[in-house]
Amino acid sequence: MRVLSSVPEHRASPRPLAATGLFLAAIIAGGATGTWWPGIADRLGGAVDHLVMLLVAVIFFTLPSGGLLDRRRVPRIAFLAVAMNFLLIPVVAFALTSVLIPDDALRVGILIYCLAPCTDWFLGFTRMAGGDTAAGSALIPVQLVLQLALYPVWLGVFAGHQVVNTVSAAGPALIIWFVMPAVLAVALRGALRLVAPRSTRGRVIDAADGAVPVILAALIVCLFAANVGTILSDPSAFGRVLLVVFLFFIVVYVVSEAIARGFGLSHPEHALLTMTTSARNAPLMLAVTTIALPDHPAIAAAIVIGMMVEFPHLTALTHLLATHRHRGHAHGAVATRPGRCRDRRQRSITGAVSG
């Protein structure tokens, strides 16, 4: 008798509790390093760009083959994600900052941080949570173009700042952080398909998939080590920033949950919507803002502070979504096993009668 087995969708993905512990340890390690060993923290900060590029490359290397736009669910989830990121979230961010942040510079910094959806590491958290990374990859160019095009519009509408040539200013960073590692990863995946048998390809891809949480943890360590001093420089002012960003994430999470349930999203779609509306594009926005609004350290500091809340929040979401996914799989397996047994018995009876 053939034994039926269940193969998980991402074999190399760790259990949610292990991933949560890894990310929390990375936050603590990075914060402690930045507080007590600033010299080491400066060197770790220099590794952020390289880790972002490595993460993008690994994610694209492990994407399922067959094309990003062949997925029938992409149009719906893309519409929902873009609508949340560029219609609902600006309203939430503006309402919170208008009420709770009296300082103009800090308010501008929080708005810049909140209004730009992430275009790189959110895929890592999406994969960890069992989300649809293929649809997430298809979202990246759309959201990237929109956030850069709207950057001067948001500043003009919400903050009274006039900024031009945003796309040209951010172009080199985009090519380095996203285009180059993505193209290289796709090329390597194609080369692997040509030279390696299927079993070897599977082992290599699983190993790369398993490296995603480790790369994310290293990125968290470096970001926290390099930027924890920003909080310590003005605890009261940046305490308000932390509060607003925390409330922002809570409101966005509640809204995304309501939309996921209202539209009956599958777990992969649900996880993708949650992650793309929670993860923000702080590194790119920091680079663009440094060019577009020089000599405004409070604005840049507010963007950095957002990351201090973002990674614990994404870690908690990863745990919640991945745990929900595992429970759903276990419940589905228990629910369908009797039916499978009945089907097998029916086939045996039918075969015996016909024989």
Side-chain angles (χ1 to χ4, degrees), residues 17 41 53 64 79 94 102 111 117-118 126 164 180-181 213 222 266 270 285 299 326 353:
L17 186 61
M53 290 187 289
F79 173 79
F94 182 67
L111 283 170
C118 181
T126 300
V164 296
M180 290 176 57
C222 294
S266 65
H270 179 189
M285 288 299 103
I299 294 178
H326 284 292
V353 171

Side-chain angles (χ1 to χ4, degrees), residues 83-95 111 115 154 158 248:
M84 271 203 69
N85 276 321
F86 297 101
L87 294 178
L88 292 178
I89 283 180
V91 175
V92 172
F94 182 67
L111 283 170
L115 296 178
W154 295 144
F158 293 148
F248 168 80

Side-chain angles (χ1 to χ4, degrees), residues 63-317:
L63 283 178
S65 58
L68 298 178
L69 298 178
D70 292 338
R71 306 286 290 272
R72 290 180 295 177
R73 294 191 303 268
V74 168
R76 178 173 70 164
I77 192 62
F79 173 79
L80 292 175
V82 170
M84 271 203 69
N85 276 321
F86 297 101
L87 294 178
L88 292 178
I89 283 180
V91 175
V92 172
F94 182 67
L96 288 174
T97 54
S98 297
V99 172
L100 298 175
I101 301 294
D103 183 272
D104 290 339
L106 291 178
R107 185 166 59 251
V108 172
I110 296 174
L111 283 170
I112 292 173
Y113 170 78
C114 292
L115 296 178
C118 181
T119 56
D120 38 53
W121 61 51
F122 88 96
L123 281 179
F125 285 101
T126 300
R127 159 127 341 156
M128 296 282 296
D132 190 341
T133 52
S137 300
L139 269 176
I140 287 177
V142 176
Q143 298 198 132
L144 189 58
V145 170
L146 281 175
Q147 69 184 254
L148 290 173
L150 289 172
Y151 181 89
V153 176
W154 295 144
L155 288 184
V157 171
F158 293 148
H161 287 271
Q162 299 299 321
V163 180
V164 296
N165 297 326
T166 306
V167 176
S168 61
L174 295 177
I175 293 173
I176 293 173
W177 288 353
F178 178 74
V179 176
M180 290 176 57
V183 170
L184 178 61
V186 172
L188 287 175
R189 180 69 176 263
L192 183 67
R193 178 179 293 274
L194 292 175
V195 302
R198 182 183 296 272
S199 59
T200 301
R201 293 201 305 269
R203 288 193 295 270
V204 172
I205 293 170
D206 281 350
D209 194 23
V212 169
V214 178
I215 299 170
L216 275 170
L219 180 62
I220 292 171
V221 169
C222 294
L223 285 170
F224 271 68
N227 297 301
V228 70
T230 305
I231 290 180
L232 302 178
S233 64
D234 192 350
S236 61
F238 293 113
R240 292 194 299 272
V241 175
L242 288 172
L243 173 63
V244 171
V245 175
F246 174 78
L247 292 175
F248 168 80
F249 282 132
I250 294 298
V251 173
V252 169
Y253 173 72
V254 170
V255 173
S256 67
E257 286 292 295
I259 290 176
R261 291 174 182 174
F263 281 85
L265 299 184
S266 65
H267 178 82
E269 292 174 316
H270 179 189
L272 172 60
L273 181 68
T274 300
M275 289 304 179
T276 188
T277 53
S278 296
R280 302 289 92 188
N281 208 0
L284 178 59
M285 288 299 103
L286 187 61
V288 173
T289 302
T290 302
I291 298 170
L293 300 173
D295 302 322
H296 288 80
I299 294 178
I303 297 173
V304 170
I305 290 297
M307 286 189 289
M308 310 300 281
V309 183
E310 178 179 339
F311 277 107
H313 179 63
L314 293 177
T315 298
L317 291 180

